[in-house]
């Protein structure tokens, strides 16, 4: 297989947070979207932040990757997520990137 064959535009994928605590608190699983692939600079920034940066560094980078089904950022100056959901969403994205 040629490397070029693996190259593609990023696509939105759905991630579901369905652990017991989320379902109990919100009455159902919570879904959001993110891109199925990230540019290398984003991947490297996350790796470096995870390696020795401050905990807030990862959240600040990943918040741009927590998207609605139209690819728009959910967390803005005006809107934020409940802390428990935000931490789970950040974890889900970081975990997914780590499995690539």
């Amino acid at each position: 297989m040629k490397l070029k064959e693996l190259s593609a535009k990023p696509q939105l994928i759905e991630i579901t947070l369905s652990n017991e605590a989320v379902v109990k608190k919100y009455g159902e699983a919570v879904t959001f979207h993110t891109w199925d692939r990230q540019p290398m600079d984003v991947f490297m920034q996350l790796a470096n932040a995870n390696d020795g940066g401050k905990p807030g560094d990862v959240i600040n980078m990943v918040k741009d990757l927590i998207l609605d089904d139209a690819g728009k950022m959910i967390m803005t100056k005006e809107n934020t997520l409940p802390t428990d959901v935000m931490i789970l969403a950040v974890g889900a994205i970081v975990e997914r990137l780590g499995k690539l």
Side-chain angles (χ1 to χ4, degrees):
M1 173 184 289
K2 294 184 180 181
L3 187 60
K4 183 178 180 177
E5 294 172 22
L6 297 175
S7 176
K9 280 185 158 184
Q11 301 293 313
L12 280 176
I13 57 168
E14 185 175 271
I15 296 179
T16 301
L17 306 175
S18 60
N19 69 15
E20 185 179 335
V22 168
V23 173
K24 183 176 181 181
K25 185 171 183 178
Y26 300 102
E28 61 185 311
V30 175
T31 60
F32 68 97
H33 291 75
T34 195
W35 300 111
D36 66 342
R37 54 187 72 205
Q38 301 298 326
M40 184 57 80
D41 62 324
V42 171
F43 186 83
M44 294 307 295
Q45 286 174 348
L46 283 170
N48 288 336
N50 233 2
D51 219 14
K54 299 174 218 143
D57 291 345
V58 173
I59 291 171
N60 283 328
M61 282 186 273
V62 173
K63 72 179 180 69
D64 296 341
L65 306 177
I66 299 172
L67 310 171
D68 65 15
D69 58 355
K72 304 278 186 194
M73 287 177 26
I74 293 173
M75 296 175 63
T76 65
K77 287 182 181 181
E78 296 82 27
N79 296 314
T80 191
L81 295 170
T83 303
D84 57 340
V85 173
M86 180 177 54
I87 290 170
L88 290 171
V90 167
I93 289 174
V94 170
E95 179 183 333
R96 183 173 197 310
L97 290 174
K99 291 182 179 180
L100 297 176

